Amino acid sequence: QVQLVESGGGLVQPGGSLRLSCAASGFTFSNYWMYWVRQSPGKGLEWVSLISTGGSSTDYADSVKGRFTVSRDNAKNTLYLQMNSLKSEDTAVYYCASSGRMLTGWNLILRSKYDYWGQGAQVTVSS
């Protein structure tokens, strides 16, 4: 069956770093655009980043641009999110998700637009 399993979350101090991983199985990973989406307590979904099927094209939300880096290893069926210079406002549950096509605009924060969705990884930024 299809699975997206996030790992690497945890508690980190402001200014620190974390790397999230998302292990994919049950579908042809290399054929799918991949995304990171987060949800903070009491707030709606916020799109964080996307990466194309081959990894040559990436994009980021303004709130994380210059601090987060998305990458993928199609040989390992794994998606990554390197998060540096973390701030308290980055505290959220981070989800990886996939789509057979590039999503844009409002579609990025509609869970129904994604083909597959992970269970989430908690990231807490606090001193």
Side-chain angles (χ1 to χ4, degrees):
Q1 71 279 20
V2 170
Q3 281 194 308
L4 290 173
V5 180
E6 299 94 337
S7 60
L11 173 64
V12 63
Q13 293 186 340
S17 297
L18 280 176
R19 187 175 85 152
L20 300 181
S21 299
C22 172
S25 61
F27 66 103
T28 306
F29 180 74
S30 59
N31 288 350
Y32 284 75
W33 289 72
M34 296 300 297
Y35 305 78
W36 288 101
V37 180
R38 68 186 181 185
Q39 187 164 25
S40 302
K43 296 185 179 180
L45 292 175
E46 179 187 13
W47 167 73
V48 174
S49 180
L50 65 80
I51 186 166
S52 60
T53 56
S56 61
S57 179
T58 60
D59 199 9
Y60 301 90
D62 287 344
S63 58
V64 306
K65 199 168 292 185
R67 300 187 297 122
F68 290 12
T69 303
V70 63
S71 61
R72 65 190 295 163
D73 186 337
N74 285 343
K76 295 182 178 180
N77 290 346
T78 304
L79 173 73
Y80 303 100
L81 185 68
Q82 178 66 43
M83 305 184 292
N84 298 331
S85 303
L86 283 161
K87 306 175 181 179
S88 58
E89 51 263 44
D90 294 319
T91 295
V93 177
Y94 285 71
Y95 300 93
C96 68
S98 64
S99 174
R101 58 187 177 92
M102 180 181 177
L103 299 177
T104 59
W106 286 107
N107 291 323
L108 289 165
I109 57 168
L110 296 175
R111 186 162 174 164
S112 62
K113 297 298 183 180
Y114 293 90
D115 295 314
Y116 308 119
W117 193 270
Q119 87 288 349
Q122 176 69 49
V123 171
T124 302
V125 184
S126 175
S127 55

